[in-house]
Amino acid sequence: NAGVMQNPRHLVRRRGQEARLRCSPMKGHSHVYWYRQLPEEGLKFMVYLQKENIIDESGMPKERFSAEFPKEGPSILRIQQVVRGDSAAYFCASSPLRVGNSPLHFGNGTRLTVT
Amino acid sequence: AQTVTQSQPEMSVQEAETVTLSCTYDTSENNYYLFWYKQPPSRQMILVIRQEAYKQQNATENRFSVNFQKAAKSFSLKISDSQLGDTAMYFCAFIPSRENTDKLIFGTGTRLQVFP
């Protein structure tokens, strides 16, 4: 059973461009979480999705950021008009149930660099 | 506010020795889940150990064990017989069980270096 797959592993964008980060959860997992890790900091929650639904986006910046988890295909975190402050590692995690009852499986992250 | 504090930015230990990483948290909840995650240079987040607050017995996983002091809101990680492969960032995290969205709240991490 493959783990959580994130791609690309590294992404470089110029200011003003769009960044699309993809996450395929583990097979059988219907809960997806996105976290952001700034340099020398812990992970910060961004958004929690189930298939076709955003359950909690309280950690998402109000502008330029959006996330989806369609019925078919990977979850996508989209950042429009990127700025230097968006440079970070973005982690996706999945679980089959509420994470308190089952471990959260993380992907290897996508490191976004905005130049 | 619910927070996690890791007061040791960096720690070092010699191979085969024991090291303890500290973690304190703040919550008004009575039930919650606590975790330690390891992040090696590969950047992958690996679950090391998990503790449920309503269980008094401290969790153990091979060489890893916790000292959970609920009244003190303390959740330290002990690594016995340290190995070079234990070199990594270690993050303490928790989830209030009342939350429906299971947002993990992370500390800022402790960088552990194991020396030969």
Short mmCIF file of all heavy atoms in Angstrom, two decimals, chain A residues 9-10 33 35 37 40-43 45 48 55-56 58 89 91 98-104 106-111, chain B residues 33 35 37 39 41-45 47 50 52 91 95-109 111:
data_model
loop_
_atom_site.label_atom_id
_atom_site.label_comp_id
_atom_site.label_asym_id
_atom_site.label_seq_id
_atom_site.Cartn_x
_atom_site.Cartn_y
_atom_site.Cartn_z
N ARG A 9 7.98 17.43 -5.66
CA ARG A 9 8.74 17.48 -4.41
C ARG A 9 9.28 18.88 -4.18
O ARG A 9 9.33 19.35 -3.03
CB ARG A 9 9.88 16.48 -4.48
CG ARG A 9 10.66 16.34 -3.19
CD ARG A 9 10.51 14.94 -2.65
NE ARG A 9 11.50 14.69 -1.61
CZ ARG A 9 11.25 14.89 -0.30
NH1 ARG A 9 10.09 15.33 0.10
NH2 ARG A 9 12.18 14.64 0.58
N HIS A 10 9.70 19.50 -5.26
CA HIS A 10 10.17 20.89 -5.21
C HIS A 10 9.47 21.67 -6.31
O HIS A 10 9.27 21.15 -7.41
CB HIS A 10 11.70 20.96 -5.44
CG HIS A 10 12.49 20.18 -4.46
ND1 HIS A 10 12.83 20.67 -3.23
CD2 HIS A 10 13.01 18.92 -4.53
CE1 HIS A 10 13.53 19.74 -2.57
NE2 HIS A 10 13.65 18.68 -3.34
N TYR A 33 -5.66 16.36 4.96
CA TYR A 33 -5.29 17.58 5.68
C TYR A 33 -4.09 18.22 4.99
O TYR A 33 -3.19 17.51 4.54
CB TYR A 33 -4.89 17.24 7.13
CG TYR A 33 -5.93 16.48 7.91
CD1 TYR A 33 -6.11 15.11 7.72
CD2 TYR A 33 -6.72 17.12 8.85
CE1 TYR A 33 -7.06 14.40 8.43
CE2 TYR A 33 -7.68 16.42 9.58
CZ TYR A 33 -7.84 15.06 9.36
OH TYR A 33 -8.78 14.36 10.07
N TYR A 35 -0.99 21.01 5.69
CA TYR A 35 -0.25 21.77 6.69
C TYR A 35 0.86 22.53 6.00
O TYR A 35 1.39 22.10 4.98
CB TYR A 35 0.37 20.84 7.74
CG TYR A 35 -0.60 20.25 8.72
CD1 TYR A 35 -1.38 19.15 8.38
CD2 TYR A 35 -0.75 20.79 9.99
CE1 TYR A 35 -2.28 18.61 9.27
CE2 TYR A 35 -1.65 20.25 10.90
CZ TYR A 35 -2.41 19.17 10.53
OH TYR A 35 -3.31 18.63 11.42
N GLN A 37 4.69 24.38 6.70
CA GLN A 37 5.82 24.49 7.61
C GLN A 37 6.76 25.58 7.11
O GLN A 37 7.43 25.42 6.08
CB GLN A 37 6.57 23.16 7.72
CG GLN A 37 7.71 23.19 8.74
CD GLN A 37 8.42 21.85 8.85
OE1 GLN A 37 8.52 21.09 7.89
NE2 GLN A 37 8.96 21.56 10.03
N GLU A 40 12.26 26.59 10.15
CA GLU A 40 12.53 26.54 11.60
C GLU A 40 11.26 26.63 12.44
O GLU A 40 11.30 27.04 13.60
CB GLU A 40 13.49 27.67 12.00
CG GLU A 40 14.79 27.68 11.22
CD GLU A 40 15.58 26.39 11.34
OE1 GLU A 40 15.63 25.83 12.44
OE2 GLU A 40 16.12 25.92 10.31
N GLU A 41 10.14 26.23 11.90
CA GLU A 41 8.90 26.23 12.66
C GLU A 41 8.21 24.88 12.56
O GLU A 41 8.55 24.04 11.73
CB GLU A 41 7.95 27.32 12.15
CG GLU A 41 8.44 28.72 12.42
CD GLU A 41 7.37 29.76 12.10
OE1 GLU A 41 6.19 29.38 11.91
OE2 GLU A 41 7.72 30.95 12.02
N GLY A 42 7.23 24.67 13.44
CA GLY A 42 6.41 23.47 13.35
C GLY A 42 5.37 23.60 12.26
O GLY A 42 5.24 24.63 11.61
N LEU A 43 4.63 22.53 12.05
CA LEU A 43 3.60 22.55 11.03
C LEU A 43 2.37 23.29 11.53
O LEU A 43 1.98 23.16 12.70
CB LEU A 43 3.20 21.11 10.65
CG LEU A 43 4.12 20.38 9.67
CD1 LEU A 43 5.46 20.06 10.28
CD2 LEU A 43 3.45 19.12 9.14
N PHE A 45 -1.72 23.94 10.72
CA PHE A 45 -2.89 23.45 10.00
C PHE A 45 -3.41 24.50 9.01
O PHE A 45 -3.48 25.69 9.33
CB PHE A 45 -3.98 23.11 11.01
CG PHE A 45 -5.33 22.84 10.40
CD1 PHE A 45 -5.62 21.60 9.84
CD2 PHE A 45 -6.30 23.82 10.37
CE1 PHE A 45 -6.87 21.35 9.29
CE2 PHE A 45 -7.55 23.58 9.82
CZ PHE A 45 -7.83 22.34 9.28
N TYR A 48 -8.88 21.05 6.09
CA TYR A 48 -9.25 19.64 6.24
C TYR A 48 -10.38 19.37 5.24
O TYR A 48 -11.38 20.10 5.22
CB TYR A 48 -9.69 19.39 7.67
CG TYR A 48 -10.49 18.13 7.94
CD1 TYR A 48 -10.17 16.91 7.32
CD2 TYR A 48 -11.54 18.16 8.84
CE1 TYR A 48 -10.91 15.77 7.60
CE2 TYR A 48 -12.28 17.02 9.13
CZ TYR A 48 -11.96 15.83 8.51
OH TYR A 48 -12.68 14.70 8.80
N ILE A 55 -14.16 20.68 5.01
CA ILE A 55 -14.75 20.57 6.33
C ILE A 55 -14.31 21.73 7.23
O ILE A 55 -15.10 22.28 7.98
CB ILE A 55 -14.38 19.23 7.00
CG1 ILE A 55 -14.70 18.04 6.07
CG2 ILE A 55 -15.08 19.09 8.34
CD1 ILE A 55 -16.16 17.95 5.68
N ASP A 56 -13.05 22.08 7.13
CA ASP A 56 -12.51 23.14 7.99
C ASP A 56 -11.39 23.82 7.24
O ASP A 56 -10.39 23.18 6.92
CB ASP A 56 -12.00 22.54 9.31
CG ASP A 56 -11.47 23.59 10.29
OD1 ASP A 56 -11.32 24.77 9.91
OD2 ASP A 56 -11.20 23.21 11.44
N SER A 58 -10.15 26.86 8.41
CA SER A 58 -9.87 27.97 9.31
C SER A 58 -8.39 28.38 9.30
O SER A 58 -8.05 29.48 9.71
CB SER A 58 -10.28 27.61 10.74
OG SER A 58 -9.61 26.45 11.18
N ALA A 89 7.42 24.63 3.18
CA ALA A 89 7.13 23.24 2.85
C ALA A 89 5.65 22.99 3.14
O ALA A 89 5.16 23.36 4.21
CB ALA A 89 8.00 22.29 3.65
N PHE A 91 2.73 20.20 3.51
CA PHE A 91 2.55 18.78 3.76
C PHE A 91 1.08 18.42 3.64
O PHE A 91 0.20 19.13 4.12
CB PHE A 91 3.03 18.41 5.16
CG PHE A 91 4.52 18.39 5.30
CD1 PHE A 91 5.20 19.54 5.65
CD2 PHE A 91 5.23 17.23 5.08
CE1 PHE A 91 6.58 19.55 5.77
CE2 PHE A 91 6.62 17.22 5.20
CZ PHE A 91 7.28 18.38 5.54
N ARG A 98 -11.38 9.77 11.78
CA ARG A 98 -10.94 10.93 12.55
C ARG A 98 -9.58 10.60 13.14
O ARG A 98 -9.38 9.55 13.71
CB ARG A 98 -11.92 11.21 13.68
CG ARG A 98 -13.13 11.99 13.28
CD ARG A 98 -13.89 12.43 14.51
NE ARG A 98 -13.02 13.26 15.34
CZ ARG A 98 -13.31 13.62 16.58
NH1 ARG A 98 -14.43 13.20 17.13
NH2 ARG A 98 -12.50 14.36 17.28
N VAL A 99 -8.66 11.53 13.01
CA VAL A 99 -7.26 11.22 13.31
C VAL A 99 -7.05 10.88 14.76
O VAL A 99 -6.11 10.20 15.12
CB VAL A 99 -6.34 12.37 12.85
CG1 VAL A 99 -6.58 13.59 13.70
CG2 VAL A 99 -4.90 11.96 12.89
N GLY A 100 -7.89 11.34 15.66
CA GLY A 100 -7.70 10.94 17.04
C GLY A 100 -7.80 9.44 17.22
O GLY A 100 -7.21 8.88 18.13
N ASN A 101 -8.55 8.79 16.33
CA ASN A 101 -8.74 7.36 16.43
C ASN A 101 -7.80 6.57 15.54
O ASN A 101 -7.78 5.36 15.58
CB ASN A 101 -10.19 6.99 16.04
CG ASN A 101 -11.17 7.61 17.02
OD1 ASN A 101 -10.91 7.67 18.21
ND2 ASN A 101 -12.29 8.07 16.52
N SER A 102 -7.06 7.24 14.70
CA SER A 102 -6.14 6.53 13.82
C SER A 102 -4.98 7.45 13.49
O SER A 102 -5.14 8.66 13.50
CB SER A 102 -6.83 6.09 12.53
OG SER A 102 -7.31 7.21 11.83
N PRO A 103 -3.82 6.90 13.23
CA PRO A 103 -2.67 7.77 12.99
C PRO A 103 -2.79 8.55 11.69
O PRO A 103 -3.36 8.06 10.72
CB PRO A 103 -1.48 6.80 12.94
CG PRO A 103 -2.07 5.48 12.62
CD PRO A 103 -3.45 5.49 13.21
N LEU A 104 -2.25 9.73 11.69
CA LEU A 104 -2.22 10.57 10.52
C LEU A 104 -0.98 10.22 9.71
O LEU A 104 0.12 10.19 10.24
CB LEU A 104 -2.17 12.03 10.97
CG LEU A 104 -2.64 13.13 10.03
CD1 LEU A 104 -4.07 12.91 9.62
CD2 LEU A 104 -2.49 14.46 10.71
N PHE A 106 1.59 11.18 6.82
CA PHE A 106 2.04 12.36 6.08
C PHE A 106 2.76 11.97 4.80
O PHE A 106 3.44 10.93 4.73
CB PHE A 106 3.01 13.18 6.94
CG PHE A 106 2.33 14.04 7.96
CD1 PHE A 106 2.01 13.54 9.21
CD2 PHE A 106 2.02 15.37 7.68
CE1 PHE A 106 1.39 14.34 10.16
CE2 PHE A 106 1.41 16.18 8.63
CZ PHE A 106 1.09 15.66 9.87
N GLY A 107 2.66 12.84 3.81
CA GLY A 107 3.50 12.74 2.63
C GLY A 107 4.85 13.38 2.91
O GLY A 107 5.10 13.87 4.02
N ASN A 108 5.72 13.38 1.91
CA ASN A 108 7.06 13.94 2.07
C ASN A 108 7.11 15.44 1.85
O ASN A 108 8.17 16.05 1.96
CB ASN A 108 8.04 13.26 1.12
CG ASN A 108 8.38 11.85 1.57
OD1 ASN A 108 8.06 11.47 2.69
ND2 ASN A 108 8.99 11.09 0.70
N GLY A 109 5.98 16.02 1.53
CA GLY A 109 5.92 17.47 1.42
C GLY A 109 6.35 17.99 0.06
O GLY A 109 7.05 17.31 -0.71
N THR A 110 5.89 19.18 -0.24
CA THR A 110 6.34 19.94 -1.42
C THR A 110 7.00 21.20 -0.91
O THR A 110 6.38 21.96 -0.16
CB THR A 110 5.16 20.31 -2.34
OG1 THR A 110 4.62 19.13 -2.91
CG2 THR A 110 5.63 21.25 -3.44
N ARG A 111 8.24 21.41 -1.30
CA ARG A 111 8.92 22.65 -0.91
C ARG A 111 8.71 23.67 -2.01
O ARG A 111 9.19 23.49 -3.13
CB ARG A 111 10.41 22.42 -0.68
CG ARG A 111 11.13 23.69 -0.20
CD ARG A 111 12.58 23.44 0.17
NE ARG A 111 12.73 22.53 1.28
CZ ARG A 111 12.52 22.87 2.55
NH1 ARG A 111 12.16 24.09 2.87
NH2 ARG A 111 12.70 21.98 3.51
N TYR B 33 -5.63 13.88 22.47
CA TYR B 33 -4.61 12.93 22.02
C TYR B 33 -3.29 13.66 21.90
O TYR B 33 -3.25 14.80 21.43
CB TYR B 33 -4.99 12.32 20.66
CG TYR B 33 -6.31 11.59 20.67
CD1 TYR B 33 -7.49 12.25 20.37
CD2 TYR B 33 -6.37 10.23 20.98
CE1 TYR B 33 -8.71 11.58 20.39
CE2 TYR B 33 -7.58 9.55 20.99
CZ TYR B 33 -8.74 10.24 20.70
OH TYR B 33 -9.94 9.58 20.70
N PHE B 35 0.90 13.38 20.58
CA PHE B 35 1.75 12.68 19.61
C PHE B 35 3.18 13.21 19.66
O PHE B 35 3.41 14.39 19.98
CB PHE B 35 1.23 12.90 18.18
CG PHE B 35 -0.21 12.54 17.96
CD1 PHE B 35 -1.21 13.45 18.27
CD2 PHE B 35 -0.56 11.32 17.43
CE1 PHE B 35 -2.55 13.13 18.06
CE2 PHE B 35 -1.90 10.99 17.21
CZ PHE B 35 -2.89 11.90 17.53
N TYR B 37 6.16 13.29 16.68
CA TYR B 37 6.53 13.02 15.30
C TYR B 37 8.02 13.28 15.12
O TYR B 37 8.58 14.18 15.72
CB TYR B 37 5.76 13.91 14.33
CG TYR B 37 4.36 13.44 14.01
CD1 TYR B 37 3.28 13.82 14.81
CD2 TYR B 37 4.12 12.60 12.92
CE1 TYR B 37 2.00 13.38 14.52
CE2 TYR B 37 2.83 12.16 12.63
CZ TYR B 37 1.79 12.55 13.44
OH TYR B 37 0.52 12.12 13.16
N GLN B 39 10.98 14.08 12.23
CA GLN B 39 11.19 14.57 10.86
C GLN B 39 12.68 14.51 10.55
O GLN B 39 13.44 15.40 10.91
CB GLN B 39 10.66 16.00 10.69
CG GLN B 39 10.70 16.48 9.25
CD GLN B 39 10.15 17.89 9.06
OE1 GLN B 39 10.41 18.77 9.86
NE2 GLN B 39 9.37 18.09 8.01
N PRO B 41 16.09 14.42 7.92
CA PRO B 41 16.44 15.34 6.83
C PRO B 41 15.65 15.10 5.55
O PRO B 41 15.49 16.01 4.74
CB PRO B 41 17.94 15.07 6.62
CG PRO B 41 18.41 14.65 7.97
CD PRO B 41 17.29 13.84 8.55
N SER B 42 15.14 13.90 5.36
CA SER B 42 14.30 13.62 4.19
C SER B 42 13.00 14.42 4.21
O SER B 42 12.28 14.48 3.21
CB SER B 42 13.98 12.13 4.10
OG SER B 42 13.15 11.76 5.20
N ARG B 43 12.68 15.01 5.35
CA ARG B 43 11.50 15.86 5.53
C ARG B 43 10.22 15.08 5.81
O ARG B 43 9.20 15.68 6.14
CB ARG B 43 11.31 16.76 4.30
CG ARG B 43 10.70 18.13 4.62
CD ARG B 43 10.80 19.03 3.43
NE ARG B 43 10.07 18.56 2.28
CZ ARG B 43 10.43 18.82 1.02
NH1 ARG B 43 11.50 19.51 0.76
NH2 ARG B 43 9.70 18.37 0.03
N GLN B 44 10.24 13.77 5.70
CA GLN B 44 9.03 13.00 5.97
C GLN B 44 8.65 13.11 7.44
O GLN B 44 9.52 13.12 8.31
CB GLN B 44 9.24 11.54 5.59
CG GLN B 44 8.01 10.69 5.72
CD GLN B 44 8.25 9.24 5.37
OE1 GLN B 44 9.38 8.84 5.17
NE2 GLN B 44 7.19 8.47 5.30
N MET B 45 7.37 13.21 7.72
CA MET B 45 6.88 13.24 9.09
C MET B 45 6.49 11.82 9.48
O MET B 45 5.60 11.23 8.88
CB MET B 45 5.66 14.16 9.21
CG MET B 45 5.96 15.62 8.99
SD MET B 45 6.91 16.34 10.32
CE MET B 45 5.68 16.43 11.60
N LEU B 47 5.28 9.23 12.52
CA LEU B 47 4.69 9.12 13.86
C LEU B 47 5.56 8.21 14.71
O LEU B 47 5.85 7.08 14.33
CB LEU B 47 3.27 8.54 13.77
CG LEU B 47 2.56 8.34 15.10
CD1 LEU B 47 2.32 9.66 15.81
CD2 LEU B 47 1.24 7.60 14.89
N ARG B 50 2.06 7.72 20.33
CA ARG B 50 0.76 8.35 20.49
C ARG B 50 0.22 8.01 21.89
O ARG B 50 0.37 6.89 22.35
CB ARG B 50 -0.17 7.82 19.41
CG ARG B 50 -1.63 8.17 19.50
CD ARG B 50 -2.33 7.61 18.26
NE ARG B 50 -3.77 7.74 18.34
CZ ARG B 50 -4.59 6.82 18.81
NH1 ARG B 50 -4.12 5.67 19.24
NH2 ARG B 50 -5.90 7.03 18.84
N GLU B 52 -3.27 8.63 24.53
CA GLU B 52 -4.62 9.15 24.76
C GLU B 52 -4.70 9.67 26.19
O GLU B 52 -4.30 8.98 27.12
CB GLU B 52 -5.64 8.05 24.51
CG GLU B 52 -5.63 7.60 23.06
CD GLU B 52 -6.39 6.31 22.83
OE1 GLU B 52 -7.45 6.14 23.46
OE2 GLU B 52 -5.92 5.48 22.03
N PHE B 91 8.85 16.68 16.82
CA PHE B 91 7.74 17.58 17.07
C PHE B 91 6.72 16.93 18.01
O PHE B 91 6.30 15.79 17.79
CB PHE B 91 7.03 17.96 15.77
CG PHE B 91 7.85 18.81 14.85
CD1 PHE B 91 8.56 18.25 13.81
CD2 PHE B 91 7.93 20.18 15.03
CE1 PHE B 91 9.32 19.03 12.95
CE2 PHE B 91 8.68 20.98 14.18
CZ PHE B 91 9.38 20.39 13.14
N ILE B 95 -4.20 16.93 19.76
CA ILE B 95 -5.53 17.20 19.22
C ILE B 95 -6.52 17.16 20.36
O ILE B 95 -6.63 16.15 21.05
CB ILE B 95 -5.97 16.12 18.22
CG1 ILE B 95 -5.06 16.05 17.02
CG2 ILE B 95 -7.40 16.37 17.74
CD1 ILE B 95 -5.38 14.87 16.14
N PRO B 96 -7.28 18.25 20.56
CA PRO B 96 -8.38 18.16 21.51
C PRO B 96 -9.44 17.23 20.94
O PRO B 96 -9.84 17.40 19.79
CB PRO B 96 -8.90 19.60 21.60
CG PRO B 96 -7.83 20.44 20.96
CD PRO B 96 -7.12 19.56 19.97
N SER B 97 -9.89 16.25 21.68
CA SER B 97 -10.80 15.26 21.11
C SER B 97 -12.17 15.84 20.81
O SER B 97 -12.92 15.28 20.04
CB SER B 97 -10.94 14.06 22.05
OG SER B 97 -11.51 14.46 23.27
N ARG B 98 -12.48 16.99 21.41
CA ARG B 98 -13.78 17.59 21.14
C ARG B 98 -13.85 18.16 19.72
O ARG B 98 -14.89 18.33 19.15
CB ARG B 98 -14.05 18.71 22.16
CG ARG B 98 -15.49 19.16 22.24
CD ARG B 98 -15.59 20.37 23.12
NE ARG B 98 -15.14 20.08 24.47
CZ ARG B 98 -15.98 19.77 25.46
NH1 ARG B 98 -17.26 19.70 25.24
NH2 ARG B 98 -15.51 19.52 26.66
N GLU B 99 -12.70 18.46 19.17
CA GLU B 99 -12.65 19.03 17.83
C GLU B 99 -13.20 18.06 16.81
O GLU B 99 -12.90 16.88 16.84
CB GLU B 99 -11.20 19.35 17.44
CG GLU B 99 -10.61 20.59 18.07
CD GLU B 99 -11.00 21.85 17.32
OE1 GLU B 99 -11.47 21.74 16.18
OE2 GLU B 99 -10.85 22.94 17.90
N ASN B 100 -13.98 18.55 15.90
CA ASN B 100 -14.48 17.70 14.83
C ASN B 100 -13.53 17.62 13.66
O ASN B 100 -13.69 16.77 12.80
CB ASN B 100 -15.84 18.25 14.34
CG ASN B 100 -16.91 18.06 15.38
OD1 ASN B 100 -16.91 17.08 16.10
ND2 ASN B 100 -17.82 19.02 15.45
N THR B 101 -12.59 18.52 13.62
CA THR B 101 -11.76 18.58 12.43
C THR B 101 -10.37 18.00 12.66
O THR B 101 -9.59 17.93 11.75
CB THR B 101 -11.60 20.04 11.97
OG1 THR B 101 -11.00 20.79 13.03
CG2 THR B 101 -12.92 20.63 11.60
N ASP B 102 -10.07 17.59 13.89
CA ASP B 102 -8.82 16.90 14.13
C ASP B 102 -7.60 17.69 13.67
O ASP B 102 -6.70 17.15 13.05
CB ASP B 102 -8.83 15.52 13.48
CG ASP B 102 -9.88 14.63 14.10
OD1 ASP B 102 -10.23 14.87 15.27
OD2 ASP B 102 -10.36 13.72 13.43
N LYS B 103 -7.58 18.96 13.98
CA LYS B 103 -6.41 19.77 13.66
C LYS B 103 -5.30 19.45 14.65
O LYS B 103 -5.45 19.66 15.84
CB LYS B 103 -6.75 21.25 13.75
CG LYS B 103 -7.69 21.74 12.69
CD LYS B 103 -8.00 23.20 12.86
CE LYS B 103 -8.96 23.45 14.00
NZ LYS B 103 -9.48 24.83 13.98
N LEU B 104 -4.19 18.98 14.14
CA LEU B 104 -3.02 18.78 14.98
C LEU B 104 -2.40 20.13 15.29
O LEU B 104 -2.17 20.93 14.39
CB LEU B 104 -1.99 17.91 14.25
CG LEU B 104 -2.11 16.39 14.40
CD1 LEU B 104 -1.21 15.71 13.38
CD2 LEU B 104 -1.73 15.97 15.80
N ILE B 105 -2.10 20.36 16.56
CA ILE B 105 -1.39 21.57 16.97
C ILE B 105 0.03 21.16 17.30
O ILE B 105 0.25 20.34 18.20
CB ILE B 105 -2.09 22.22 18.17
CG1 ILE B 105 -3.53 22.57 17.80
CG2 ILE B 105 -1.33 23.48 18.62
CD1 ILE B 105 -4.40 22.98 18.96
N PHE B 106 0.99 21.73 16.59
CA PHE B 106 2.39 21.32 16.72
C PHE B 106 3.18 22.31 17.55
O PHE B 106 2.93 23.52 17.53
CB PHE B 106 3.05 21.24 15.34
CG PHE B 106 2.70 20.01 14.56
CD1 PHE B 106 1.58 19.98 13.75
CD2 PHE B 106 3.51 18.89 14.61
CE1 PHE B 106 1.25 18.84 13.01
CE2 PHE B 106 3.20 17.75 13.87
CZ PHE B 106 2.06 17.74 13.07
N GLY B 107 4.20 21.79 18.24
CA GLY B 107 5.23 22.64 18.83
C GLY B 107 6.23 23.04 17.76
O GLY B 107 6.13 22.63 16.59
N THR B 108 7.23 23.82 18.16
CA THR B 108 8.21 24.33 17.20
C THR B 108 9.35 23.36 16.94
O THR B 108 10.19 23.59 16.09
CB THR B 108 8.80 25.66 17.67
OG1 THR B 108 9.26 25.49 19.02
CG2 THR B 108 7.76 26.76 17.63
N GLY B 109 9.38 22.27 17.70
CA GLY B 109 10.34 21.22 17.41
C GLY B 109 11.62 21.30 18.23
O GLY B 109 12.02 22.36 18.73
N ARG B 111 15.60 19.87 17.68
CA ARG B 111 16.54 19.22 16.77
C ARG B 111 17.47 18.32 17.58
O ARG B 111 18.21 18.81 18.44
CB ARG B 111 17.36 20.26 16.01
CG ARG B 111 18.24 19.66 14.91
CD ARG B 111 19.03 20.77 14.20
NE ARG B 111 18.16 21.77 13.62
CZ ARG B 111 17.52 21.65 12.46
NH1 ARG B 111 17.67 20.56 11.75
NH2 ARG B 111 16.75 22.63 12.02
#
